[in-house]
């Protein structure tokens, strides 16, 4: 069988946006994704989660997210990504869990169990959700531990004592909703940095765009605007905060100090790079024909957001297109 021109690993928003640009340029691309259906990480977020911006600020290249009144739930994004795949006839094979990518003379071999695909280029768009991060702390916690990656909503916590660790958006949102059903201690390393109540995720996206453009012009990265705060004050968060139910407690130095039935780590993620880690040096590809997109600031400002990933996907698609000797459009 002749090799593919491009294989994209990961069928979340970053992988689909990249495939969109590749298909426009006539590049033969196959997406391999380990989920049972479309949606990437959005399939796994907790039931009450909504976007922190409206649909106008949550668009992938080519087709606007269908309207929703207010902040859309994750199911709206999953539906959007499913329809996006269909609309652009993106070939996605699932569930396929890629174990390892091997660099060979004229490209790469992509291995998944006893199957493999030959390809001239590889784009890793594997996101972060499958690599939740938990900091190492001394001591012992006797209760049950969770991560926001597998937080199932309030039910298992009703009437219990819950420690929530993490001072960013997921920590604030999970702690806020739990205050209605449980005794919550919200541990943060520094006092919560609330964004002004009247703004939402839009301002973060605008800042990301400024950063992307500055870097593209060869100017220094202006960085995130720390004066703005980093917790978007969604309605549930505001309610709990203003009622005094959501108050931060300084982070403990040892798990022995946590007196609770449950401990929920809202401490973020790391890029899920296991299949290609051996092909990277200082986080960058060692060989031509291997590319990364999505997954947070390490692959460019805003590349972990729906709207923000578009320019990064276009840039990577341009490079892939050039690498296979075609003309980007
Ligand atoms: P993913 O969606 O994770 O897609 C990667 C895909 O690759 C997944 O399907 C994964 O299972 C698969 N994969 C991984 N490894 C392999 C492998 N070895 N083989 C095959 N497949 C593999 N963004 C916004 O724009 N607005 C918001 O309001 C917003 N809110 C957020 C709230 C929370 C709580 C979180 C966690 C994120 C939020 N984001 C938001 C950020 C962002 O949109 C998501 O993190 C987004 O899912 C990143 O997309 P991605 O395509 O890079 O990765």
């Amino acid at each position: 069988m002749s090799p593919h021109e491009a294989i994209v690993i990961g069928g979340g928003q970053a992988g689909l946006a990249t495939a969109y640009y590749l298909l426009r340029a006539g590049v033969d691309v196959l997406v391999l994704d380990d989920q049972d259906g479309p949606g990437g990480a959005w399939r796994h977020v907790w039931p009450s989660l909504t976007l922190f911006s409206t649909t106008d600020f949550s668009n992938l290249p080519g087709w606007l997210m269908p309207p929703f009144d207010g902040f859309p739930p994750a199911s709206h994004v999953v539906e959007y990504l499913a329809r996006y795949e269909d609309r652009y006839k993106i070939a996605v094979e699932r569930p396929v869990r890629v174990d390892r990518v091997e660099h060979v003379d004229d490209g790469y071999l992509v291995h998944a169990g006893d199957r493999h695909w030959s390809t001239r280029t590889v784009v890793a768009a594997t996101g972060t959700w499958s690599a939740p991060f938990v900091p190492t702390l001394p001591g012992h916690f006797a209760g049950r531990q969770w991560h926001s990656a597998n937080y199932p909503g309030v039910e298992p916590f009703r009437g219990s004592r819950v420690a929530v660790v993490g001072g960013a958006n997921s920590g604030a949102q999970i702690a806020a909703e739990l205050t209605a059903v449980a005794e919550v201690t919200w541990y943060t390393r520094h006092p919560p940095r609330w964004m002004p109540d009247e703004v939402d995720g839009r301002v973060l996206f605008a800042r990301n765009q400024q950063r992307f453009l500055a870097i593209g012009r060869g100017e220094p990265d202006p960085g995130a605007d720390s004066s703005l705060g980093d917790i978007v004050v969604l309605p549930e968060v505001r309610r709990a905060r203003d009622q005094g139910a959501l108050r931060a407690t300084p982070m403990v130095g040892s798990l022995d100090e946590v007196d609770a039935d449950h401990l929920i780590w809202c401490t973020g993620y790391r890029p899920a790079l296991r299949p290609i880690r051996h092909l990277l040096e200082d986080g960058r590809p060692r060989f031509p024909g291997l590319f990364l997109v999505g997954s947070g600031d390490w692959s460019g400002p805003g590349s972990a957001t729906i709207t923000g990933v578009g320019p990064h996907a276009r840039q990577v698609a341009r490079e892939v297109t050039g690498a296979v000797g075609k003309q980007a459009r």
Side-chain angles (χ1 to χ4, degrees):
M1 207 168 63
S2 60
H4 288 283
E5 290 179 320
I7 284 190
V8 175
I9 309 171
Q13 64 207 31
L16 297 185
T18 308
Y20 163 84
Y21 283 116
L22 290 173
L23 288 170
R24 274 203 345 175
V27 174
D28 144 57
V29 54
L30 174 66
V31 179
L32 301 176
D33 184 55
D34 62 2
Q35 299 298 298
D36 290 329
W42 295 105
R43 297 168 61 81
H44 297 277
V45 298
W46 57 93
S48 65
L49 181 129
T50 64
L51 294 189
F52 47 66
S53 56
T54 54
T55 54
D56 331 1
F57 295 86
S58 309
N59 298 307
L60 289 178
W63 184 47
L64 303 181
M65 181 181 277
F68 185 90
D69 191 12
F71 297 127
S75 57
H76 193 74
V77 188
V78 172
E79 173 72 16
Y80 175 48
L81 296 185
R83 290 174 63 190
Y84 191 88
E85 277 182 36
D86 284 349
R87 184 183 177 97
Y88 295 112
K89 300 188 174 41
I90 299 173
V92 186
E93 207 167 315
R94 23 172 105 83
V96 174
R97 175 144 194 86
V98 173
D99 309 314
R100 186 173 168 85
V101 177
E102 185 187 347
H103 181 238
V104 292
D105 279 350
D106 50 354
Y108 295 88
L109 285 179
V110 176
H111 298 272
D114 55 7
R115 303 179 67 191
H116 71 269
W117 293 259
S118 174
T119 178
R120 291 173 63 190
T121 63
V122 170
V123 178
T126 45
T128 58
W129 83 266
S130 57
F133 171 72
V134 174
T136 306
L137 246 71
H140 173 69
F141 178 71
R144 180 160 178 194
Q145 298 194 44
W146 308 71
H147 190 277
S148 55
N150 59 17
Y151 168 70
V154 300
E155 284 314 319
F157 306 98
R158 213 169 266 284
S160 64
R161 294 166 310 149
V162 186
V164 177
V165 177
N169 283 290
S170 51
Q173 287 175 32
I174 288 174
E177 75 168 7
L178 283 170
T179 59
V181 301
E183 189 187 311
V184 176
T185 310
W186 180 33
Y187 292 106
T188 64
R189 270 189 304 169
H190 50 70
R193 292 192 289 245
W194 307 108
M195 286 176 55
D197 288 2
E198 66 281 6
V199 302
D200 61 31
R202 273 175 297 182
V203 294
L204 300 177
F205 302 156
R207 180 67 176 184
N208 285 334
Q209 194 184 22
Q210 287 166 7
R211 296 178 64 195
F212 178 79
L213 293 174
I215 293 167
R217 289 191 298 262
E219 296 166 9
D221 179 356
D225 184 352
S226 55
S227 67
L228 201 56
D230 41 28
I231 301 177
V232 181
V233 186
L234 290 170
E236 175 87 3
V237 173
R238 186 193 304 200
R239 179 196 59 73
R241 183 197 63 184
D242 293 352
Q243 287 175 355
L246 182 63
R247 284 191 308 269
T249 300
M251 184 57 192
V252 290
S254 162
L255 290 178
D256 293 335
E257 299 170 55
V258 179
D259 185 19
D261 306 307
H262 299 273
L263 169 54
I264 307 176
W265 297 100
C266 301
T267 39
Y269 300 82
R270 294 290 180 262
L273 296 175
R274 189 190 296 251
I276 60 156
R277 198 175 296 284
H278 58 290
L279 302 175
L280 303 178
E281 196 170 292
D282 297 331
R284 302 287 148 203
R286 283 165 51 206
F287 303 104
L290 176 63
F291 303 90
L292 308 168
V293 69
S295 308
D297 268 6
W298 64 274
S299 79
S303 61
T305 62
I306 303 170
T307 289
V309 78
H312 299 278
R314 185 175 53 205
Q315 180 58 31
V316 164
R318 268 185 216 278
E319 292 173 30
V320 171
T321 304
V324 300
K326 288 188 169 162
Q327 191 72 37
R329 291 181 55 209

